[in-house]
Amino acid sequence: MTDERIITASEGHMLTNGEIYASSVRLGDWDSADNWHEVTKEEYEAKMAEMAEVEDAIY
Amino acid sequence: MDIAEKVLRQKKDFDDVYEAGKKAEYDAFWDGYLATPKKTGIGYCLFAGVGWNENTKIPYKIDFITNGYNMFIYSGNIPKTELAKIDFSKITTFFPVFNYSNIQHIPELDTRGVSSLGTVFAYVTSLISIDNIILRDDGSQTSLNLFNNNINLEEVRFAGIIGQNGFDIHWSTKLSADSLKSIINTLSTTTTGLTITLPKTAQANYEAVYGLSSWSTLTATRSNWTIAYA
């Protein structure tokens, strides 16, 4: 991707805006790189496991 | 009429009565099975379980369901032609509808009666195609996380507008170029502050068909959206 409004997580990390997790992001006109920060893959996986537990309870 | 003709006539009469009896039993089963949903509109677990599968034959149009909660949970692979006999347009409550089923192909779904969609296709890992998901034209529908774990989904089309946060289809790494095009073209052009989550394979899948830079060109038409790749 060559769009300058693209931010990419560094190796071993994911980006998050607090709600959404992504390996890269194409920022919308309204968005800013300041809204996104990196978390480690371990933190990301722990969060996904937590969310999966919630889903299991629902389904 | 000689004896042989009489015997054949009697056999035909017997067969006709036998078939009429079978049909009467068949109709009685379906009329009885659908009597309560017809009265209440509740489709809860109506086709739940593997007993509903490729051999399922729905006898007539089902157009009285208003609550589709768990309607196909753990079902077998009910054919698309049979699913097409169900009118989803009167449904006002979705939440999980097809969750954990083994269905592979879903016909057009008119979701305009539903304000909050929910995890409609959650954990349908067998799902390959959805002909068309009709959304409201005003982009008002919420809970757009319909595609949890649809890891084999290749084809999906949309009509209407995606106008709220929460659309996440990142599990569907096999999405075709035309499916991706349909998703992007369904995004509202007038909202701001919203984010959509797509699979990391989106650009590669799209550009394999439409060429280099085509993905940037397409997504530039929705610069009012943040696109997250997960």
Side-chain angles (χ1 to χ4, degrees), chain B residues 58-229:
Chain B
I58 298 172
Y60 41 71
K61 192 171 178 65
I62 295 177
D63 60 359
F64 40 79
I65 300 298
T66 56
N67 184 330
Y69 180 58
N70 277 350
M71 197 160 155
F72 298 93
I73 188 171
Y74 291 113
S75 78
N77 185 19
I78 302 170
K80 185 169 77 169
T81 48
E82 299 306 313
L83 295 172
K85 296 175 186 174
I86 301 169
D87 182 351
F88 289 86
S89 67
K90 295 192 178 68
I91 293 182
T92 57
T93 302
F94 257 2
F95 200 42
V97 178
F98 297 94
N99 42 323
Y100 296 106
S101 90
N102 293 289
I103 289 170
Q104 294 181 356
H105 302 284
I106 293 177
E108 182 171 274
L109 291 183
D110 187 343
T111 74
R112 289 174 291 184
V114 186
S115 298
S116 177
L117 288 165
T119 49
V120 178
F121 310 108
Y123 292 94
V124 188
T125 55
S126 57
L127 188 59
I128 297 170
S129 71
I130 307 167
D131 281 0
N132 195 25
I133 299 174
I134 305 176
L135 303 173
R136 291 178 182 171
D137 287 336
D138 63 2
S140 64
Q141 289 162 298
T142 59
S143 295
L144 294 165
N145 52 331
L146 289 73
F147 303 101
N148 193 334
N149 269 277
N150 298 142
I151 58 176
N152 285 304
L153 185 62
E154 296 175 13
E155 298 290 343
V156 62
R157 301 292 186 273
F158 289 88
I161 300 287
I162 296 168
Q164 306 291 326
N165 254 337
F167 188 97
D168 183 352
I169 198 167
H170 81 269
W171 298 267
S172 305
T173 58
K174 301 178 184 180
L175 281 178
S176 71
D178 286 344
S179 300
L180 292 161
K181 182 191 286 188
S182 181
I183 292 168
I184 298 297
N185 286 338
T186 304
L187 298 177
S188 167
T189 56
T190 59
T191 54
T192 189
L194 301 184
T195 302
I196 181 177
T197 306
L198 297 178
K200 282 186 282 196
T201 54
Q203 180 176 3
N205 289 1
Y206 193 79
E207 292 187 347
V209 174
Y210 289 107
L212 207 56
S213 304
S214 58
W215 181 246
S216 295
T217 303
L218 177 67
T219 54
T221 65
R222 296 300 190 274
S223 61
N224 57 317
W225 283 79
T226 282
I227 301 174
Y229 298 94

Side-chain angles (χ1 to χ4, degrees), chain A residues 5-35:
Chain A
R5 296 207 33 93
I6 292 171
I7 54 174
T8 304
S10 57
E11 184 71 29
H13 291 77
M14 295 288 278
L15 292 166
T16 184
N17 62 359
E19 287 181 15
I20 294 168
Y21 291 80
S23 52
S24 65
V25 174
R26 197 291 308 265
L27 298 168
D29 296 335
W30 59 274
D31 208 351
S32 158
D34 293 338
N35 293 330

